[in-house]
Amino acid sequence: MKFSENWLRTWVNPDLSSEALGHVLTMAGLEVEALEPVAPAFSNVVVGEVLEVVKHPNADRLNVCQVNVGEAAPLNIVCGAANVAVGVKVPCARIGAVLPGDFVIKQAKVRNVESFGMLCSEKELGLADESEGLWLLPDDAPVGKTLREYLELDDKLFTLKLTPNRSDCSGMVGIAREVAALTGSELKPLDIRTQPVTLSEQLPVSIADAFGCPLYCGRLVRGVNAAAVTPDWMLRRLERSGLRGISAVVDITNYVMLEMGQPMHAFDVAKLSGGITVRSASKGEELTLLNEQNVKLDEEVMVIADDARVLALAGIMGGQGSGVDTATRDVFLESAFFHPDAIAGRARRFGLATDSSFRFERGVDFAATRQAMERATQLLVEICGGSAGPISEVCGQLPSRTPIALRRSRVARVLGIALDNQQIAALFKRLQFDFTANGDDFRVTPPSFRFDLSIEADLIEELARLHGYDHIPAQAPEAAFTVLPYSELQRPLSQIRNLLVARDYQEIVSYAFLDAQVERELCGNEHPVTLQNPIASNLAVMRSSLIGGLVGALRFNLNRKQSRVRLFEVGACFAKVDDEYVQTQRLSGLSYGDAQSEQWGVSARPVDFFDAKADVQALFPPQVLRFVAATHPALHPGRSAQIYCGDQVIGWLGELHPHWQQQYDIPRACLWFELDLDALTRSRVPMMSEIAKFLPVRRDLAVVVDEAVTAQTLLDAMQQCSAPYVTELALFDVYRGKGVEQGKKSLAFRVLLQDTHKTLSESEIEPSIAQLVEALQKSGAQLRM
């Protein structure tokens, strides 16, 4: 919204500078995006009248002029402009004048003829980029008056960045009302005189879409002079608001829109057939708009039509076939309230953004619809003449103004300041809100021009704006410091993150959305949780695993020449189980490249399954994990395993499948693991045990088993037999070769036995070893001799 400060001050004139007024508006939520002067700085330029023009005696293209500037004697000025003539009124820069660019006017001789000033063009005054000849002023321009005063060039232009909720400030009346409320200054009401009805004729008006147009006012005005000249004061205000002058009738409707915030339209009655109907368009109907754009309509678009055709897009733009021109003699004025929901988005469908749609989409003051009609009629009759008929009004169900309850205690709680009842009542009066008070409770009825007030918080915001955000003290919050409860059964996530960072991993955060193809390929999920309104086609489903984001981040790093990558992520994964959506928290990691950073102390080797396994085990001490071979859609079938903690499956570990490695353009093998966060953060309460004073006894057991038998199977068998005194069982050697049959392998286990109260004897050790051997033999192992 762009407007002239001088225009605003005809409504309300606070004792504030332009800059201070801009600050007040900005702090109240009406951001002043720009504050700029109407004209560049220049001085001592007055209105001059050319009394005499004679050819310069020494130059063919120059003239010697006698110019009246309101003094006793005219000035002698040499001028080379082609359009200089006797009787014209032009800007005259007197001696001592300073023009834009610090150009000082001095007395000078031009080809031996004295010149006591300069006649100016718009370009020389900085008011136009190009100009042809002198700037010819109106015939009624007062001679001798300074140009800045005559044309109000000391004016400034405000540009407001209106938020969608403040449609009430899309007209001067709303801005003036806001300034009066903010500053406490007097608001001068607009002088709207009801026009005498001198014409009995009316055009019939009907509304077929009562929701989209609950109020329509129309008026017939005959005998207008559409070729009349728009007054300079009106043109000046239009141009300084960003609108160009078109014709007197159109300029009047635009002026009322800027003045009152009510868009209007004028139809040429000679181009109408029958009455006016507000209805939905029929599919296939077409309309050529005032901008010469041809649009095809459908049932979702509301139109203004007569008995024969569509005349205009309701609330957006008129049609070319019914617009007024200089030959128009009879005019039908339209002032209506269109429901915001019926206009919103319709202009954008046709690539339009008009001043009318901007206002109707946000809501206009339906209580001022008839007033705007009276104002437009008043200006039309004054400028163009004519006889006005009665207003044709069709009114349906207008938006209700539901009272809002406000509690003073709630105001104090939200704003942090105590406003008494008198202060609250005074602020509401300045806002022109109707309200009733009952002790500390208020019931406020929003005015018709405020569509943004519906709940208590809206009223509290209004009080804060008027009281002034600058006047609300900044108070440091106060709270009692208490130690939060900490459970020893739960490890903090920060500790786990730190463990991974210490092992050279870096944390990433990726989208919880994935391409459906990635989810299908890497997770084998044919029925992912799909989004109804995805932000992009490649982010259409919710992830069921974190692997997709990690692989994407790996490719991002590889494209930037990173040869060694360690990444991890903590995040939510989503699935649908038995028609219910399930969300689980997981931690996932990915490693690529060499096992160690490049250095001289260790030979370079690629990271492998056991490096990733060591990283996983480092997250779970003192718990013992089991890794059981299994297949996963994303992993190499011979290099992948499920991770068990006790009897519970808590995750996956393995090398990315060579097929996906090739498809995702990953040059070398990478390792991936994923763990349930609940299992990872679960912890045991430490238990004290007595430190043995006696040395442990070691026994080694070497057995031969089939290749298909895993070491973990034998370890589990020995653990389950619960042999006395056994404190540790561990595999320390695997052998295949000479002395061992084909298809078999030799496994060697270390067994530690210890008693905290005495040194063990052979008679106590042997039964325990015998139990272990028996357990091994039951699992298909034979002692190696």
Side-chain angles (χ1 to χ4, degrees):
M1 177 65 185
K2 189 175 184 180
F3 62 90
S4 155
E5 180 182 0
N6 285 357
W7 191 8
L8 173 65
R9 290 187 183 271
T10 63
W11 291 72
V12 58
N13 191 14
D15 188 17
L16 295 172
S17 65
S18 304
E19 291 72 19
L21 179 58
H23 177 74
V24 168
L25 289 171
T26 297
M27 292 306 297
L30 301 178
E31 181 184 351
V32 177
E33 193 173 23
L35 176 59
E36 53 195 352
V38 167
F42 59 83
S43 63
N44 206 13
V45 179
V46 299
V47 176
E49 181 180 10
V50 179
L51 302 177
E52 182 182 272
V53 179
V54 297
K55 284 292 183 182
H56 194 290
N58 302 318
D60 294 337
R61 296 186 179 181
L62 298 179
N63 295 300
V64 180
C65 306
Q66 297 295 312
V67 182
N68 177 16
V69 293
E71 296 182 347
L75 300 180
N76 194 67
I77 298 176
V78 177
C79 176
N83 62 338
V84 65
V86 174
V88 298
K89 293 183 178 180
V90 294
C92 178
R94 303 176 62 183
I95 293 175
V98 180
L99 303 187
D102 292 330
F103 181 68
V104 181
I105 303 299
K106 300 177 181 178
Q107 181 180 341
K109 273 190 177 183
V110 181
R111 297 287 183 94
N112 293 324
V113 176
E114 291 284 351
S115 182
F116 295 89
M118 174 180 168
L119 304 183
C120 303
S121 66
E122 288 180 277
K123 180 180 180 181
E124 289 162 336
L125 295 176
L127 298 173
D129 294 331
E130 295 294 335
S131 59
E132 296 181 0
L134 299 177
W135 183 8
L136 302 182
L137 300 176
D139 293 339
D140 60 353
V143 174
K145 193 169 187 177
T146 63
L147 192 69
R148 300 195 74 90
E149 183 181 356
Y150 168 57
L151 297 177
E152 299 181 4
L153 297 181
D154 290 322
D155 192 8
K156 291 187 177 179
L157 299 181
F158 281 79
T159 303
L160 300 184
K161 189 176 183 180
L162 289 180
T163 52
N165 64 311
R166 292 311 306 270
S167 61
D168 59 301
C169 291
S170 60
M172 290 301 301
V173 64
I175 298 171
R177 184 170 51 223
E178 186 76 4
V179 171
L182 293 171
T183 62
S185 302
E186 179 188 359
L187 176 64
K188 300 174 185 176
L190 181 63
D191 181 21
I192 301 179
R193 296 187 296 274
T194 301
Q195 288 301 298
V197 176
T198 57
L199 186 71
S200 60
E201 290 183 73
Q202 283 183 287
L203 281 185
V205 175
S206 62
I207 297 177
D209 186 351
F211 169 79
C213 181
L215 177 60
Y216 188 97
C217 294
R219 174 175 255 173
L220 185 64
V221 183
R222 290 194 180 276
V224 301
N225 177 18
V229 177
T230 304
D232 289 339
W233 61 267
M234 181 179 287
L235 276 177
R236 192 176 303 131
R237 290 175 177 178
L238 288 172
E239 290 169 355
R240 292 178 185 180
S241 298
L243 298 180
R244 62 183 177 87
I246 298 174
S247 67
V249 177
V250 175
D251 291 345
I252 288 168
T253 58
N254 285 339
Y255 181 81
V256 173
M257 178 186 69
L258 292 175
E259 186 177 57
M260 303 187 64
Q262 171 67 54
M264 297 193 65
H265 189 64
F267 298 97
D268 188 337
V269 176
K271 301 174 182 178
L272 303 182
S273 299
I276 297 294
T277 303
V278 184
R279 60 174 174 83
S280 297
S282 300
K283 190 172 183 180
E285 283 187 307
E286 295 187 10
L287 174 65
T288 301
L289 301 173
L290 288 172
N291 64 356
E292 300 183 355
Q293 177 182 345
N294 190 67
V295 294
K296 293 184 178 181
L297 309 175
D298 57 33
E299 296 86 346
E300 294 185 0
V301 180
M302 189 166 54
V303 298
I304 311 297
D306 61 10
D307 295 345
R309 57 179 175 153
V310 174
L311 303 175
L313 287 180
I316 299 175
M317 185 181 287
Q320 194 176 58
S322 59
V324 298
D325 52 36
T326 55
T328 299
R329 290 294 173 263
D330 303 321
V331 170
F332 181 75
L333 293 177
E334 169 192 280
S335 178
F337 172 74
F338 298 114
H339 198 286
D341 291 344
I343 304 298
R346 306 307 193 274
R348 288 187 291 275
R349 288 180 55 182
F350 304 112
L352 299 172
T354 66
D355 291 315
S356 293
S357 64
F358 175 86
R359 288 163 172 80
F360 281 125
E361 284 178 345
R362 290 157 175 78
V364 300
D365 183 5
F366 53 82
T369 303
R370 191 180 181 94
Q371 290 181 340
M373 175 62 75
E374 293 286 5
R375 177 61 170 162
T377 308
Q378 173 188 341
L379 293 171
L380 184 64
V381 172
E382 288 177 359
I383 297 170
C384 301
S387 301
I391 296 177
S392 302
E393 180 178 312
V394 180
C395 184
Q397 183 64 43
L398 292 170
S400 61
R401 303 282 84 191
T402 305
I404 305 169
L406 176 73
R407 298 159 292 172
R408 188 163 71 90
S409 59
R410 184 64 178 171
V411 174
R413 181 178 178 185
V414 173
L415 299 185
I417 57 174
L419 296 177
D420 59 36
N421 293 339
Q422 290 73 23
Q423 287 177 298
I424 293 175
L427 293 175
F428 282 153
K429 288 178 181 177
R430 284 163 56 182
L431 287 165
Q432 301 183 18
F433 290 179
D434 290 331
F435 66 93
T436 58
N438 182 15
D440 290 344
D441 296 332
F442 294 80
R443 286 185 66 80
V444 182
T445 302
S448 58
F449 52 82
R450 292 297 298 270
F451 281 79
D452 58 321
L453 304 178
S454 58
I455 59 176
E456 185 179 31
D458 296 331
L459 297 178
I460 296 174
E461 180 185 4
E462 292 300 300
L463 295 175
R465 289 192 318 107
L466 256 67
H467 180 75
Y469 294 116
D470 291 343
H471 299 146
I472 299 177
Q475 298 177 345
E478 296 181 2
F481 286 98
T482 56
V483 178
L484 295 175
Y486 173 74
S487 173
E488 289 187 275
L489 297 175
Q490 195 79 14
R491 281 199 299 170
L493 186 57
S494 59
Q495 183 184 80
I496 298 169
R497 283 189 166 106
N498 290 337
L499 283 171
L500 283 168
V501 170
R503 298 186 74 84
D504 219 10
Y505 283 81
Q506 292 180 311
E507 186 173 9
I508 70 163
V509 178
S510 65
Y511 278 120
F513 318 129
L514 279 178
D515 191 323
Q517 182 179 351
V518 174
E519 179 72 11
R520 185 168 52 252
E521 292 174 348
L522 298 182
C523 304
N525 188 0
E526 295 293 340
H527 303 288
V529 178
T530 58
L531 298 173
Q532 290 185 350
N533 187 25
I535 59 177
S537 59
N538 62 334
L539 299 172
V541 302
M542 303 294 288
R543 65 188 179 192
S544 63
S545 168
L546 302 176
I547 187 173
L550 289 170
V551 170
L554 172 62
R555 294 182 62 193
F556 182 88
N557 280 270
L558 293 178
N559 291 337
R560 283 150 184 81
K561 305 301 181 184
Q562 299 298 310
S563 60
R564 184 172 181 271
V565 181
R566 299 285 188 280
L567 304 172
F568 79 93
E569 180 174 12
V570 179
C573 296
F574 308 86
K576 191 174 183 180
V577 180
D578 297 332
D579 295 329
E580 291 187 2
Y581 294 105
V582 178
Q583 177 177 322
T584 56
Q585 295 291 324
R586 296 182 188 173
L587 179 144
S588 188
L590 183 145
S591 54
Y592 172 89
D594 291 339
Q596 299 285 341
S597 297
E598 185 177 4
Q599 56 168 297
W600 64 91
V602 178
S603 299
R605 67 171 180 83
V607 66
D608 59 22
F609 180 92
F610 297 100
D611 293 314
K613 179 181 177 183
D615 292 334
V616 171
Q617 289 176 318
L619 300 176
F620 282 90
Q623 300 179 71
V624 178
L625 302 179
R626 291 190 299 116
F627 298 83
V628 178
T631 57
H632 186 282
L635 301 179
H636 193 300
R639 301 174 186 175
S640 60
Q642 277 188 313
I643 305 172
Y644 283 79
C645 183
D647 295 330
Q648 180 186 3
V649 177
I650 62 168
W652 286 89
L653 167 67
E655 181 181 308
L656 190 65
H657 197 291
H659 176 73
W660 306 132
Q661 179 183 330
Q662 181 179 7
Q663 177 165 320
Y664 290 102
D665 198 20
I666 301 174
R668 304 169 65 180
C670 65
L671 279 298
W672 166 75
F673 64 84
E674 186 162 282
L675 304 164
D676 287 339
L677 201 58
D678 287 343
L680 193 55
T681 55
R682 200 161 47 238
S683 181
R684 298 180 186 175
V685 177
M687 301 291 292
M688 189 276 293
S689 60
E690 184 181 355
I691 299 176
K693 300 178 181 178
F694 303 94
L695 296 177
V697 176
R698 172 172 173 162
R699 292 288 188 270
D700 292 344
L701 295 177
V703 295
V704 176
V705 295
D706 292 336
E707 280 285 359
V709 180
T710 63
Q712 189 64 49
T713 301
L714 301 182
L715 286 169
D716 291 343
M718 289 189 287
Q719 291 281 2
Q720 290 171 4
C721 75
S722 301
Y725 308 120
V726 176
T727 59
E728 181 180 329
L729 292 168
L731 175 73
F732 70 87
D733 185 50
V734 179
Y735 174 74
R736 299 176 182 84
K738 187 176 180 181
V740 177
E741 294 180 31
Q742 187 74 22
K744 293 184 179 292
K745 60 186 175 184
S746 172
L747 303 177
F749 297 94
R750 178 178 68 249
V751 182
L752 294 183
L753 302 95
Q754 191 175 32
D755 193 319
T756 57
H757 298 95
K758 62 181 178 180
T759 301
L760 295 175
S761 63
E762 285 297 326
S763 61
E764 294 169 320
I765 295 170
E766 285 305 322
S768 295
I769 296 299
Q771 278 186 255
L772 296 178
V773 171
E774 183 181 357
L776 290 171
Q777 289 174 341
K778 288 181 180 180
S779 299
Q782 295 179 352
L783 284 177
R784 184 180 175 191
M785 300 300 180

